[in-house]
Amino acid sequence: MKNTSRSFYVFIAILLAVIGLGSFNWLRFLTHGPGLTGSSDVVPWGIYITGLAYFIGLSAGATMVGFLIHAFGREDYKPMGTRAILLALLCIFGATQFVLVDLGVPFRGLKVPLILHNPTSIFLLSSTSYYLFMAILSGELYYTVKITRGKAKERDEKIAKWLGIIAVPYALWIVHAFTGSIFGVIKAREMWNTPILPVHFVVSALASGFALVILIAIITSKIEKRELLSRETYNHMGKLLAFFVIATLFLDFFDYFILRYSAKGEAIETWHILTGRYALVFAINIGGLIAAFLILLSKKGRTVNGLLIATSIIQLAIIAYRINLVSVGQLTPLFPGMGELYYHPTFPEISVALGLIALIILLYMVLSKVIPMEEMPPVIEHR
């Protein structure tokens, strides 16, 4: 591998250790059942569904880079073009792994498209859309790499362009909006049952996914000690990210505002959980988005160091939102007399989630070393 150092292999070893621990506990789940997790029959969804929602959002939002390059001619974004495709592909792969882990036996996941194919099910539409999305991203990556290597024909460039453009509406409308619809159509849950939730999923995906691409660009530049993007490009990225953040904050605010002032019993109970047991997570969600937006408003906030802070805060804020949505949405009792419901993820459960995250990071680190990420300079033949 090119440009590898001792610290690279040390970090790889750490990731492998985390993956090993997660794999061990996952095997324990397969042999001992879900009793080792903090989920139950009344709170069946935990951090794995949170991971699903978060990583699908990252995947969908990362496709914006290719869209800006191909649809709007932002040539200055090209150094992150291949990286963004790889990130999107690995994130949607990671999202599917969170689902498979949550199902218990991974082979159950094959039942949805092959056996359980109820055409009226949102689960069918949402889950099968992941496979096509991975196919689109794989095709885009293949043709983009051909261009990067200087081996592409005009036809290859057109295919790469249109796959990059198609990926965005497909990711946002079909993949992520319908993932939000899985929650939105559940009438029994006050926090979920709203037609705005799919829109909320899409906007927060743009914020988190685009922020991730910026964060990776900055980290890559610092590791490789070179300027990957120009200051003007970072400034443009910061302005666009600020728009995504304020739109996400707008939807977050009115989601909670209407929940609080609806005066419905379940809504009030949900609000009490949000501002009580989950007060810290709630503060990270809203406070993080406000802080990130304020940072991005200033010119210094759209520099490398400012964006490093802002994009990191955004990831924490969106993760907090996903936790609130998935966990708090289930903790409100559906029937009188049920008492308070609780969900506390166990260490084995957390270790499996961290193992999946480590696997995604490991795959990105290795593949970004193997796959050419930037266009090679033309070869000049000397006669």
Side-chain angles (χ1 to χ4, degrees):
M1 294 182 184
K2 56 185 179 180
N3 300 325
T4 55
S5 62
R6 185 178 179 182
S7 58
F8 173 84
Y9 292 108
V10 170
F11 190 59
I12 291 291
I14 294 172
L15 292 176
L16 288 173
V18 176
I19 293 169
L21 178 61
S23 300
F24 170 73
N25 282 312
W26 176 62
L27 290 174
R28 291 179 65 203
F29 293 157
L30 293 181
T31 55
H32 294 80
L36 296 173
T37 71
S39 59
S40 63
D41 56 343
V42 290
V43 186
W45 287 354
I47 58 175
Y48 300 142
I49 300 302
T50 300
L52 161 70
Y54 175 64
F55 276 97
I56 287 180
L58 291 180
S59 181
T63 59
M64 272 300 298
V65 173
F67 189 75
L68 290 167
I69 293 171
H70 297 300
F72 291 92
R74 295 291 310 200
E75 297 292 321
D76 54 329
Y77 278 60
K78 273 194 171 182
M80 287 305 298
T82 308
R83 288 181 174 85
I85 300 169
L86 181 60
L87 279 171
L89 183 58
L90 291 177
C91 285
I92 188 64
F93 166 77
T96 60
Q97 300 316 296
F98 273 100
V99 173
L100 293 179
V101 168
D102 189 68
L103 288 173
V105 179
F107 297 108
R108 290 176 181 170
L110 298 176
K111 289 184 177 181
V112 175
L114 299 178
I115 300 174
L116 304 176
H117 43 268
N118 179 0
T120 64
S121 171
I122 298 293
F123 278 103
L124 175 68
L125 179 59
S126 180
S127 59
T128 52
S129 70
Y130 304 159
Y131 300 116
L132 182 55
F133 186 43
M134 284 190 280
I136 292 172
L137 291 173
S138 298
E140 185 184 0
L141 182 62
Y142 171 76
Y143 287 106
T144 302
V145 169
K146 286 188 72 175
I147 295 170
T148 303
R149 288 176 171 168
K151 297 181 179 180
K153 299 177 181 179
E154 184 179 352
R155 176 175 170 272
D156 297 329
E157 294 179 358
K158 286 183 178 179
I159 293 174
K161 174 183 177 179
W162 284 108
L163 285 175
I165 293 173
I166 292 170
V168 173
Y170 183 85
L172 298 178
W173 190 353
I174 305 299
V175 176
H176 206 48
F178 276 98
T179 301
S181 298
I182 291 175
F183 294 87
V185 297
I186 300 178
K187 296 181 181 179
R189 296 295 182 182
E190 183 68 27
M191 192 174 180
W192 294 349
N193 188 218
T194 166
I196 300 299
L197 198 55
V199 180
H200 200 160
F201 263 59
V202 167
V203 175
S204 62
L206 288 171
S208 61
F210 196 64
L212 178 65
V213 174
I214 298 172
L215 184 60
I216 294 298
I218 294 170
I219 293 173
T220 303
S221 297
K222 288 184 178 294
I223 291 174
E224 298 183 0
K225 298 179 180 179
R226 64 188 179 96
E227 294 295 329
L228 195 61
L229 300 173
S230 67
R231 293 181 180 179
E232 291 75 17
T233 303
Y234 279 125
N235 184 56
H236 182 268
M237 283 180 153
K239 290 178 180 178
L240 190 56
L241 182 59
F243 173 75
F244 294 150
V245 169
I246 195 62
T248 304
L249 183 60
F250 176 85
L251 291 171
D252 278 3
F253 174 81
F254 279 102
D255 259 0
Y256 294 135
F257 178 83
I258 292 173
L259 188 73
R260 173 64 180 83
Y261 282 92
S262 65
K264 295 180 181 178
E266 187 181 344
I268 296 300
E269 180 64 25
T270 302
W271 176 255
H272 287 160
I273 296 172
L274 275 171
T275 55
R277 284 185 273 160
Y278 280 73
L280 178 60
V281 183
F282 178 73
I284 292 173
N285 173 205
I286 298 299
L289 290 176
I290 293 172
F293 180 70
L294 293 176
I295 291 171
L296 293 170
L297 279 183
S298 66
K299 197 167 184 179
K300 287 185 178 180
R302 297 191 298 274
T303 60
V304 171
N305 291 332
L307 284 170
L308 179 62
I309 296 171
T311 53
S312 300
I313 293 173
I314 289 168
Q315 298 308 318
L316 292 175
I318 300 299
I319 290 172
Y321 168 71
R322 303 299 192 199
I323 291 172
N324 279 339
L325 180 73
V326 174
S327 297
V328 177
Q330 299 175 90
L331 295 180
T332 305
L334 293 175
F335 307 104
M338 286 187 69
E340 287 189 313
L341 303 179
Y342 292 91
Y343 167 70
H344 300 293
T346 62
F347 175 75
E349 190 178 5
I350 293 171
S351 70
V352 173
L354 291 177
L356 288 175
I357 295 170
L359 176 62
I360 296 167
I361 296 172
L362 175 65
L363 289 173
Y364 176 80
M365 290 182 65
V366 173
L367 291 175
S368 63
K369 290 283 186 180
V370 175
I371 300 172
M373 294 288 107
E374 298 168 55
E375 289 189 22
M376 299 176 179
V379 177
I380 301 174
E381 296 183 1
H382 298 281
R383 296 183 179 179

